[in-house]
Amino acid sequence: MKFSMGSIAAAYYAVPPPLRGVLLMMVSALGVVAMNVSIRQIADDIHPFVIAFFRHSIGICLLIPLFVRPGSNPFRTANIRLQGLRAILNVFAMLAYFLALTMEPLAKVVALTFTAPLIGTVGAIFLLREKVSSARYFALTIGFVGALLILRPWAVEISTGSILLIISSAMWGMALVVIKVLSRTDSPATIALYASLLQLPICLIAALFFWQWPTLNQLLVMGLIAVFGATTQLALAQAFREADATVVLPVDFTKLVFAGLAGWLFFGELPVIWTWIGGTVVFIGVFLNAWFEKRGREDVKRIT
């Protein structure tokens, strides 16, 4: 049986958009977990900062076709300083995340990263002066209570890995605020291009302190890491284009399930019950925040 791009596209568009969004979000969730497992597989032999550099370098090569399109100029930006700030925030988030992966169970890593959009909302409130309803404040409170349940600072000492994950989520949350501002004037392709180009030298500087040339096997694994990372980004972006956030966000919770299974199968990790409880509560807060935001937009449209 012969397949063509046209037949594949026809089959894709035959699927209802909400279902396409759900499937793409699941692909994104699997991509994140596959990337995390791959990083852990080689992190004992090569420093995470070096892995981050090669993952980013290979990822740029994979995404070049998206940047180079006839009739477009992705280098045109209205605010190079914000592009630089976004790149710095992204790099620190990624480096902290890669380090934390070597210190914490996969399920705990995923559970704490759910806090990033909540931190982004808080950043938008304080930095962009966005008006938020009392319902969304309630959702944010639920989310941060979930993070406390994961960390349990009243019962156990907060580990270095947990601190790195909090830093990573905070940096990514702030990057989301910057992206929101940039999206007012710059195209998604421009934002992605500058993030890729500006992050590369910063990653290189961090990697040089721990530099070692990877073996062929390590390089192949880092190629897989880049493929999983690029797939995750593209699938996530397309999922939100296909369906409303309140439709696709619940599927993102499968990351925690996949991470728990992967941690058990590949590394013999059995996450404590508080990771599951706290991760669930954090995700409920994230979902409610998105739901109330959607309701707020709909109310504004009815009034206007």
Side-chain angles (χ1 to χ4, degrees):
M1 182 181 293
K2 293 183 178 180
F3 292 95
S4 65
M5 293 302 296
S7 62
I8 294 174
Y12 176 81
Y13 287 110
V15 179
L19 182 56
R20 292 202 300 262
V22 166
L23 293 174
L24 285 165
M25 183 60 84
M26 187 166 290
V27 169
S28 174
L30 283 168
V32 168
V33 175
M35 183 180 72
N36 292 350
V37 170
S38 301
I39 292 169
R40 285 278 294 273
Q41 292 286 1
I42 61 172
D44 288 339
D45 301 315
I46 188 165
H47 197 276
F49 287 4
V50 180
I51 298 174
F53 169 72
F54 278 98
R55 172 254 184 270
H56 197 66
S57 302
I58 300 170
I60 289 176
C61 296
L62 294 174
L63 294 174
I64 282 177
L66 297 179
F67 300 142
V68 183
R69 292 183 177 181
S72 65
N73 180 13
F75 287 96
R76 185 184 295 114
T77 179
N79 200 325
I80 190 65
R81 291 183 179 178
L82 278 184
Q83 299 284 5
L85 176 59
R86 185 265 171 108
I88 292 171
L89 291 170
N90 266 29
V91 167
F92 279 103
M94 180 173 62
L95 295 179
Y97 181 82
F98 276 37
L99 273 178
L101 269 173
T102 67
M103 303 176 184
E104 299 291 344
L106 293 183
K108 185 177 181 180
V109 170
V110 168
L112 281 176
T113 55
F114 283 144
T115 60
L118 299 176
I119 295 172
T121 300
V122 173
I125 293 171
F126 286 101
L127 300 177
L128 305 183
R129 305 297 181 186
E130 286 192 0
K131 295 182 178 179
V132 176
S133 65
S134 56
R136 289 186 67 192
Y137 277 117
F138 174 68
L140 291 173
T141 301
I142 291 176
F144 288 120
V145 167
L148 286 174
L149 290 175
I150 297 170
L151 297 171
R152 291 184 300 141
W154 59 86
V156 296
E157 184 179 352
I158 299 178
S159 64
T160 301
S162 296
I163 294 172
L164 286 170
L165 286 169
I166 294 169
I167 292 172
S168 177
S169 294
M171 292 293 182
W172 176 237
M174 291 300 99
L176 292 175
V177 177
V178 176
I179 292 170
K180 182 175 287 190
V181 176
L182 285 171
S183 63
R184 297 171 181 171
T185 55
D186 293 348
S187 69
T190 296
I191 296 172
L193 173 63
Y194 275 99
S196 299
L197 295 179
L198 296 177
Q199 286 178 65
L200 190 59
I202 306 174
C203 283
L204 177 59
I205 292 170
L208 286 176
F209 289 97
F210 308 94
W211 188 261
Q212 66 183 89
W213 286 105
T215 64
L216 178 59
N217 180 64
Q218 290 169 345
L219 194 59
L220 291 173
V221 174
M222 286 189 283
L224 280 177
I225 292 169
V227 170
F228 291 139
T231 301
T232 296
Q233 293 177 35
L234 296 174
L236 182 66
Q238 189 61 31
F240 283 113
R241 291 192 187 99
E242 297 287 1
D244 192 88
T246 54
V247 175
V248 299
L249 261 182
V251 187
D252 194 43
F253 185 75
T254 59
K255 276 194 301 195
L256 185 57
V257 178
F258 294 148
L261 288 173
W264 173 59
L265 289 172
F266 292 99
F267 308 108
E269 297 172 352
L270 291 175
V272 297
I273 188 64
W274 289 106
T275 297
W276 295 101
I277 295 173
T280 303
V281 173
V282 171
F283 189 80
I284 289 172
V286 173
F287 176 76
L288 288 176
N289 183 49
W291 175 265
F292 291 138
E293 182 183 19
K294 177 191 175 186
R295 291 283 299 272
R297 290 197 308 267
E298 291 173 348
D299 290 342
V300 170
K301 286 181 180 178
R302 289 194 200 99
I303 294 173
T304 56

